[in-house]
Amino acid sequence: MAEPKPEEISHPPMDQLQGLEYCIDSNPSWGEAIALGFQHYILALGTAVMIPSFLVPLMGGTDDDKVRVVQTLLFVEGINTLLQTLFGTRLPTVIGGSYAFMVPIISIIHDTTLLSIEDNHMRFLYTMRAVQGALIVASSIQIILGYSQMWAICTRFFSPLGMIPVIALVGFGLFDKGFPVIGRCVEIGIPMLILFIAFSQYLKNFHTKQLPILERFALIISITVIWAYAHLLTASGAYKHRPELTQLNCRTDKANLISSAPWIKIPYPLQWGAPTFDAGHAFGMMAAVLVSLIESTGSYKAAARLASATPPPAHILSRGIGWQGIGILLDGLFGTLTGSTVSVENVGLLGSTRVGSRRVIQISAGFMIFFSILGKFGALFASIPFTIFAAVYCVLFGIVASVGLSFMQFTNMNSMRNLFIIGVAMFLGLSVPEYYREYTAKAFHGPAHTRAVWFNDFLNTIFFSSPTVALIVAVLLD
């Protein structure tokens, strides 16, 4: 029998990550679990508020509309998280809103038939219904790939070598959500970054009743301190004569969420009216669903490692994708304005707290549902300036990226072929989306700009995603 080539040698998996306090099936005390669940809920607020805050004004919506969309998104996030942890992969992952859907949704917003509607409120409703219809149709991609086990067959082609750049770029690919956002309000962002790192890393040996309280609850403590500091700056008039963009990123009273939120409001399916269906919109949205599928696959593998679980088998990943498709279907029915994917920042928080318990994530889902119904209380937490979340992302996205890099131990890194594949896949995974971003910022449309809008949306969405580009390059080269 011929000896295997150097590039074909794979090392047996090393020990699980060291120092994790609670794995997927071991649970902290109920009090600690509730506090940790609330911490995951607070972290999930960043994306849940950011996406509607950007999209709703483009659609002609008011602050009232924005609050309703945020509440609906959080409500469905809670349901999807429970479904995924109970019936899907059963990994401790929060299922949140995805930025991957931004390109096709913005394309729908700029549809000429919708832009021609003069009444802003009616334009908002018709645009929301068009997005809902596209999400409902596109969700069938993940449902079919997941429940037919076709995705399980596909994942068998993803070697550890190919997954290194994918998982790494799930974190690294979100670099524009980190320090560039901190730079919009450095007086809040920098202190938050320093405080979070100090609590989670350098003061982690501070114990109260044998509990490493500063390490375990670094997020909630540092957010409380900096949020109070930001409110003090706002109340003292520090931003009174500053530019509008600075006030929006720094002030704690600019979100207009608390005043607009109802006391009690239960989101329900088809609350915006009957969805409308358009083939072009749906086809563009299918690209975002494929991107979400690839990003989630990388996130599931990272979450399994951070929760001391065995690597998820192909059929479990496929089942999880099927349930995620159900989640996107619910997004379309309820009208969340975006599709679902695994929340990368919450995966990073598993590593930061060293708690990978599934129960903690299920409790956080309960908080999402509870506070989305009690509008005023949810809006209070949702008014935290996004700059504070961006500072936390700098750490948590980095943790997820480093988990991807840790998969290098499962391959032979003395092989030039392996070095070539990882290096090229990671570089192109960062470089290609950056080209698309710069091109879009200058030309106000993506590099794919033909008369077929659905084709443009499909290509621009695929190549805007770092993990997707990395997967395509790594699988082709491998």
Side-chain angles (χ1 to χ4, degrees):
M1 185 175 177
E3 289 187 11
K5 297 176 184 177
E7 58 265 23
E8 293 174 348
I9 298 172
S10 64
H11 301 290
M14 303 297 156
D15 293 331
Q16 298 281 5
L17 289 174
Q18 296 178 346
L20 295 173
E21 293 283 334
Y22 298 97
C23 64
I24 188 168
D25 284 322
S26 61
N27 302 309
S29 65
W30 276 104
E32 190 179 348
I34 289 169
L36 286 165
F38 183 72
Q39 195 165 232
H40 275 277
Y41 158 72
I42 290 292
L43 184 60
L45 280 174
T47 302
V49 174
M50 187 66 178
I51 292 175
S53 296
F54 176 74
L55 292 175
V56 170
L58 295 179
M59 299 161 62
T62 61
D63 287 335
D64 291 350
D65 297 323
K66 181 172 72 175
V67 166
R68 281 188 66 191
V69 174
V70 170
Q71 283 182 277
T72 304
L73 180 52
L74 277 171
F75 184 80
V76 179
E77 273 185 22
I79 293 172
N80 287 342
T81 300
L82 284 177
L83 290 175
Q84 193 61 244
T85 54
L86 291 171
F87 310 113
T89 59
R90 304 190 75 236
L91 288 167
T93 50
V94 171
I95 306 299
S98 172
Y99 290 100
F101 292 81
M102 294 289 255
V103 173
I105 290 171
I106 290 172
S107 177
I108 292 172
I109 291 170
H110 290 138
D111 189 303
T112 50
T113 56
L114 293 170
L115 285 175
S116 63
I117 300 172
E118 294 183 1
D119 182 80
N120 279 341
H121 182 63
M122 292 308 296
R123 180 160 63 90
F124 168 77
L125 288 178
Y126 278 100
T127 306
M128 174 63 84
R129 292 169 191 170
V131 172
Q132 285 181 263
L135 283 170
I136 289 170
V137 174
S139 67
S140 61
I141 296 288
Q142 284 195 8
I143 293 172
I144 293 168
L145 285 176
Y147 290 124
S148 68
Q149 290 295 313
M150 286 174 64
W151 189 242
I153 296 168
C154 293
T155 55
R156 292 197 176 100
F157 294 99
F158 304 161
S159 65
L161 180 66
M163 290 313 294
I164 291 166
V166 175
I167 300 171
L169 291 184
V170 164
F172 287 145
L174 293 165
F175 67 88
D176 59 318
K177 306 290 186 296
F179 208 87
V181 180
I182 291 178
R184 299 174 191 170
C185 189
V186 290
E187 58 267 40
I188 293 174
I190 296 292
M192 178 66 200
L193 179 60
I194 293 170
L195 205 60
F196 182 63
I197 292 173
F199 284 160
S200 62
Q201 297 301 314
Y202 295 99
L203 299 174
K204 61 183 179 182
N205 293 323
F206 178 82
H207 285 64
T208 302
K209 295 181 180 178
Q210 297 184 330
L211 177 69
I213 193 162
L214 289 182
E215 179 194 36
R216 195 67 47 83
F217 304 107
L219 178 77
I220 199 76
I221 294 170
S222 51
I223 281 182
T224 303
V225 171
I226 301 300
W227 190 18
Y229 165 63
H231 187 70
L232 189 65
L233 288 176
T234 302
S236 64
Y239 303 113
K240 194 170 288 184
H241 305 295
R242 300 288 290 277
E244 183 65 26
L245 189 62
T246 303
Q247 294 196 38
L248 198 62
N249 287 288
C250 298
R251 292 181 72 104
T252 56
D253 59 356
K254 272 290 182 183
N256 295 330
L257 293 173
I258 300 173
S259 58
S260 303
W263 281 103
I264 296 177
K265 179 76 175 179
I266 301 176
Y268 55 92
L270 308 182
Q271 58 186 332
W272 312 103
T276 57
F277 299 94
D278 179 277
H281 294 165
F283 198 82
M285 197 68 78
M286 285 178 185
V289 168
L290 288 171
V291 168
S292 163
L293 181 152
I294 291 166
E295 292 179 352
S296 294
T297 300
S299 297
Y300 286 135
K301 287 180 176 285
R305 191 147 168 75
L306 288 169
S308 282
T310 54
H315 73 279
I316 296 293
L317 279 175
S318 196
R319 187 178 72 195
I321 292 301
W323 277 103
Q324 197 169 300
I326 297 290
I328 296 174
L329 177 62
L330 291 176
D331 290 330
L333 289 172
F334 278 83
T336 61
L337 199 55
T338 186
S340 296
T341 191
V342 177
S343 174
V344 178
E345 55 268 33
N346 288 88
V347 173
L349 190 59
L350 299 177
S352 176
T353 59
R354 297 191 292 138
V355 176
S357 166
R358 189 191 298 119
R359 178 187 289 172
V360 167
I361 301 301
Q362 291 168 342
I363 290 171
S364 76
F367 277 119
M368 289 176 204
I369 295 170
F370 179 74
F371 282 117
S372 64
I373 293 172
L374 293 178
K376 292 286 186 190
F377 292 101
L380 172 66
F381 298 119
S383 66
I384 299 169
F386 189 70
T387 311
I388 292 177
F389 290 108
V392 178
Y393 292 167
C394 289
V395 177
L396 301 183
F397 289 161
I399 290 174
V400 174
S402 64
V403 170
L405 297 179
S406 76
F407 276 72
M408 287 184 183
Q409 66 186 299
F410 305 132
T411 62
N412 179 10
M413 293 310 295
N414 291 321
S415 161
M416 275 308 302
R417 175 183 177 275
N418 291 355
L419 291 173
F420 176 86
I421 292 171
I422 292 171
V424 173
M426 287 193 69
F427 184 85
L428 289 178
L430 286 169
S431 193
V432 172
E434 183 62 19
Y435 162 71
Y436 271 71
R437 268 191 286 267
E438 288 184 6
Y439 191 104
T440 305
K442 291 175 183 175
F444 299 105
H445 59 75
H449 188 58
T450 65
R451 291 183 179 179
V453 177
W454 59 267
F455 178 76
N456 302 339
D457 290 345
F458 196 91
L459 278 188
N460 291 331
T461 302
I462 291 291
F463 291 107
F464 251 99
S465 167
S466 291
T468 306
V469 174
L471 181 74
I472 293 168
V473 174
V475 170
L476 287 176
L477 293 179
D478 195 24

